[in-house]
C-alpha cells in the first residue's frame, strides 16, 4: 500500500554504512570447495599430521595479546616484596598476580590494585599491606648520594578449603547429580555464601523433579573434620499430577486450554509415570499463560487462579485452574500519535483492527508490524510503535492508542563485503548480487531481511554455527552522522 508524504525534514536524513559480513570465523578451503561442487583427496592419500613443535617466543607472545608495556615513574624503587600468612597457596602463584615487583618504581596505586587482584583470587578472607621506607647512601665521584627504596609486605589470611562434601538422605537422587547442581567440591574455598547458594540450587533442583516438600539443612564441620560440608536432605514424596481441571471457562473448551499449558496429566497404562511430574514453577507459569490467552482474545480483565487438591497418599495431586473470564472488550476509538513523516490516513489503511471490532491481541501485534515495516520501507529502520489500551467507563469498551517514535531516516552510504577464510575464492560481486540495496538508496527494512535470507540460502558460505558465525548483513551508522 503506498505512503503519502507531506513533510520532509532534511535534518532527519542520515547515512549508514552497510556491511555485508559474509563469514565471521575462518573456514577451511575443503568445506568451501565441497560447497562449490569440488571433491577432496581420497582417504588413501591422506598424510600423517606433523609432529607438535614448540611455538616461537614471538608467536607465543602474539597469541597472548602481546607483552604489557608500561612507563614507570617515581622517586622510590621497590627493594623487596614479601608475603606473610600464606600456608597452602604457593608464594610463586601469589607473586604472579602482583604488579608490584622488586626493581620497579613504587606506586601506591599499583599496590592497592594488587590488593584487589589478591581478593579476586577467592583464596583469601583478608588482604592488607604495609610499607617500610629505606634510604641508602650511594658513593660517587661527586660525593655520596641518597636513594630511596620501599619494602612492601602483603599480609594474607587464607580461607579454609572444603575437605569433603557429604549428601545425607538423598534416596531419590544420587550424589553425582547433586554435586553437579550444588557446585561445591572438595578443594574449593570454604565460604558460607557459596554453601547457602548451593543449598538453594539443590532445593530448586528437587522442586523441578517433583519433590516439592523437600527441605535441606547445610552445615560445616564433622567430628575430626572441621572443613567438611554436609547437606542433610529430607526429600519427601515425589509428587505427580493425577488430573487437570479447568473451571469457569465458557468461551473456550477445556480440552483446548489444556493444550496451551505445559503441565500434563498421566498417560494411559505404563505411561502413567512419564511427563506428569508436578513442577510448581511450571504450574504457576501456566496460570500466566491462561491469563495471557484470555487477554489476547479480548477478555482484558480476565483473571486465572489455581488450586491444588492432594490425594490421601500425598504423592498424587489434581490441579484445578479457576478462570474468571469477565466481559469481552470491543474497540471504541483508535488513535495514532507521534507520526510526522507519514500521514495518519496512510497508516490507518494498513490497520486490520477497526472501531467496534472485538479486541484481538494477535491483530494488534500484526498492525504494529505493518506500521513498523511501513516506516522501514522508507528508511526509518529504527521506528518503534508502543500500543496502549485505555478502558472507558462503559462496560466492555477499550480505546487503542499507537504511540509512534519515527527516529531518523537512513540512506546507504557504502556497502563493503568482508569475507573471512579464503576470500580469493569468492568475488565481491557474487555477494552484492544477492542484495537489492545500492549506495544512495534509502534503507528498506524488508530488503535487509530478504538479503539476509538470500545469503543464507545461497549455500556459498558456511552457516553451521558450530563451525563459523553465520553470514549476516550488519548496519552500522557512520560516526560523522551521529554528531
Amino acid at each position: 500500500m503506498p505512503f503519502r508524504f507531506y513533510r520532509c525534514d532534511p535534518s532527519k536524513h542520515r547515512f549508514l554504512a552497510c556491511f555485508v559480513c559474509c563469514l565471521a570465523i575462518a573456514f577451511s578451503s575443503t568445506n568451501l570447495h565441497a560447497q562449490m561442487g569440488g571433491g577432496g583427496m581420497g582417504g588413501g592419500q591422506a598424510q600423517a599430521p606433523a609432529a607438535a613443535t614448540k611455538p616461537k617466543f614471538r608467536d607465543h607472545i602474539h597469541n597472548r595479546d602481546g607483552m604489557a608495556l608500561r612507563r614507570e615513574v617515581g622517586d622510590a624503587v621497590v627493594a623487596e616484596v614479601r608475603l606473610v600468612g600464606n600456608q597452602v597457596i604457593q608464594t610463586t602463584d601469589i607473586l604472579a598476580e602482583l604488579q608490584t615487583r622488586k626493581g620497579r618504581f613504587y606506586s601506591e596505586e599499583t599496590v592497592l590494585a594488587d590488593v584487589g587482584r589478591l581478593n579476586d583470587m577467592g583464596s583469601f578472607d583478608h588482604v592488607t599491606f604495609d610499607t617500610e621506607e629505606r634510604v641508602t647512601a650511594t658513593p660517587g665521584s661527586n660525593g655520596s648520594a641518597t636513594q630511596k627504596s620501599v619494602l612492601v609486605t602483603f599480609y594474607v589470611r587464607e580461607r579454609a578449603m572444603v575437605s569433603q562434601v557429604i549428601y545425607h538422605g538423598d534416596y531419590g537422587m544420587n550424589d553425582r547429580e547433586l554435586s553437579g547442581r550444588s557446585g561445591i567440591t572438595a578443594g574449593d574455598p570454604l565460604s558460607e555464601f557459596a554453601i547457602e547458594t548451593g543449598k538453594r540450587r539443590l532445593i530448586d533442583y528437587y522442586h523441578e523433579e517433583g519433590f516439592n516438600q523437600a527441605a535441606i539443612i547445610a552445615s560445616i564441620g564433622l567430628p575430626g573434620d572441621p572443613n567438611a560440608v554436609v547437606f542433610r536432605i529430607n526429600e519427601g514424596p515425589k509428587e505427580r499430577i493425577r488430573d487437570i481441571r479447568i473451571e469457569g471457562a465458557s468461551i473456550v473448551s477445556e480440552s483446548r486450554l489444556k493444550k496451551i499449558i505445559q503441565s500434563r496429566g498421566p498417560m494411559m497404562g505404563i505411561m502413567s509415570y512419564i511427563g506428569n511430574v508436578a513442577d510448581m514453577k511450571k504450574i504457576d507459569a501456566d496460570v500466566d499463560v491462561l491469563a495471557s490467552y484470555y487477554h489476547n482474545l479480548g477478555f482484558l480483565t480476565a483473571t486465572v487462579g489455581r488450586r491444588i487438591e492432594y490425594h490421601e497418599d500425598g504423592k498424587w495431586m489434581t490441579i484445578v485452574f479457576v478462570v474468571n473470564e469477565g466481559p469481552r472488550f470491543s474497540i471504541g476509538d483508535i488513535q495514532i500519535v507521534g507520526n510526522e513523516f507519514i500521514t495518519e490516513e496512510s497508516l490507518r489503511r494498513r490497520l486490520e483492527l477497526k472501531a467496534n471490532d472485538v479486541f484481538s491481541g494477535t491483530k494488534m501485534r500484526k498492525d504494529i508490524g505493518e506500521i513498523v515495516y511501513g516506516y522501514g520501507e522508507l528508511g526509518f529502520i529504527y521506528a518503534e510503535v508502543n500500543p496502549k489500551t485505555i478502558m472507558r467507563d462503559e462496560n466492555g469498551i477499550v480505546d487503542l492508542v499507537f504511540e509512534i517514535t519515527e527516529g531518523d531516516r537512513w540512506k546507504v552510504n557504502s556497502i563493503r563485503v568482508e569475507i573471512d577464510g579464503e576470500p580469493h575464492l569468492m568475488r565481491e560481486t557474487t555477494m552484492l548480487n544477492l542484495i537489492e540495496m545500492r549506495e544512495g538508496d534509502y534503507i528498506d527494512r524488508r530488503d535487509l531481511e530478504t538479503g539476509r535470507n538470500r545469503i543464507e540460502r545461497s549455500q556459498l558460505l558456511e552457516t553451521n554455527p558450530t563451525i563459523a558465525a553465520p553470514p549476516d548483513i550488519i548496519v552500522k551508522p557512520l560516526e560523522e552522522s551521529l554528531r
Side-chain angles (χ1 to χ4, degrees), residues 152-264:
V152 182
T153 305
F154 290 93
Y155 298 92
V156 297
R157 187 175 65 194
E158 291 180 338
R159 286 181 176 176
M161 298 298 176
V162 177
S163 60
Q164 60 177 325
V165 183
I166 300 175
Y167 302 94
H168 180 71
D170 53 328
Y171 304 106
M173 304 289 184
N174 58 58
D175 289 358
R176 184 177 180 180
E177 293 174 332
L178 299 182
S179 178
R181 288 287 179 156
S182 68
I184 300 176
T185 57
D188 292 343
L190 190 61
S191 168
E192 293 184 2
F193 176 77
I195 295 173
E196 182 64 25
T197 302
K199 169 188 169 182
R200 294 177 182 175
R201 290 174 180 169
L202 291 177
I203 292 177
D204 291 340
Y205 180 51
Y206 267 102
H207 289 176
E208 291 173 5
E209 296 299 321
F211 295 91
N212 297 303
Q213 303 177 35
I216 300 176
I217 298 176
S219 61
I220 301 174
L222 287 173
D225 190 355
N227 295 337
V229 177
V230 182
F231 292 101
R232 293 178 173 84
I233 305 171
N234 183 2
E235 293 179 336
K238 185 170 185 175
E239 300 174 350
R240 296 182 181 275
I241 300 174
R242 174 68 72 182
D243 189 20
I244 298 177
R245 300 202 310 267
I246 300 178
E247 299 178 352
S250 60
I251 192 68
V252 184
S253 66
E254 183 179 18
S255 59
R256 169 58 183 163
L257 295 177
K258 286 183 179 180
K259 292 180 180 179
I260 68 174
I261 60 178
Q262 297 184 6
S263 299
R264 293 291 181 265

Side-chain angles (χ1 to χ4, degrees), residues 7 25 34 45 51 62 131 141 168 204 260 282 304-305 308 310 312 316 371 389 401 418 426 447 450 470:
R7 192 178 69 81
I25 299 179
Q45 300 178 358
H62 175 74
T131 59
S141 59
H168 180 71
D204 291 340
I260 68 174
K282 187 183 296 185
V304 179
I308 305 296
Y310 282 94
E312 294 180 358
W316 294 90
I371 296 175
T389 55
V401 181
E418 298 178 357
M426 180 75 66
D447 288 344
T450 301

Side-chain angles (χ1 to χ4, degrees), residues 345-396:
E345 181 182 357
S346 299
L347 293 174
R348 286 186 179 276
R349 284 202 298 266
R350 302 181 74 96
L351 301 180
E352 184 175 351
L353 281 176
K354 307 295 182 182
N356 300 322
D357 288 352
V358 175
F359 178 87
S360 170
T362 302
K363 292 182 179 180
M364 182 184 69
R365 288 188 292 272
K366 184 178 179 181
D367 288 344
I368 293 173
E370 283 293 322
I371 296 175
V372 169
Y373 275 111
Y375 272 99
E377 293 172 355
L378 301 175
F380 296 90
I381 59 174
Y382 298 121
E384 297 180 355
V385 179
N386 181 31
K388 289 186 176 181
T389 55
I390 303 175
M391 297 183 185
R392 292 185 181 180
D393 293 336
E394 302 99 307
N395 189 25

Side-chain angles (χ1 to χ4, degrees), residues 87-157:
Q87 297 177 356
V88 179
I89 309 300
Q90 296 293 327
T91 300
T92 54
D93 294 338
I94 300 176
L95 292 178
E97 299 290 332
L98 302 179
Q99 293 297 322
T100 302
R101 298 179 183 177
K102 182 180 179 179
R104 291 183 176 178
F105 283 104
Y106 172 77
S107 170
E108 184 177 1
E109 181 180 352
T110 303
V111 173
L112 292 175
D114 286 337
V115 172
R117 295 186 185 94
L118 295 182
N119 283 320
D120 292 339
M121 290 179 64
S123 300
F124 306 110
D125 283 330
H126 190 61
V127 179
T128 58
F129 74 94
D130 190 16
T131 59
E132 178 184 344
E133 294 186 0
R134 296 177 179 178
V135 179
T136 58
T138 304
S141 59
N142 297 329
S144 61
T146 60
Q147 180 180 1
K148 293 182 179 180
S149 60
V150 180
L151 171 64
V152 182
T153 305
F154 290 93
Y155 298 92
V156 297
R157 187 175 65 194

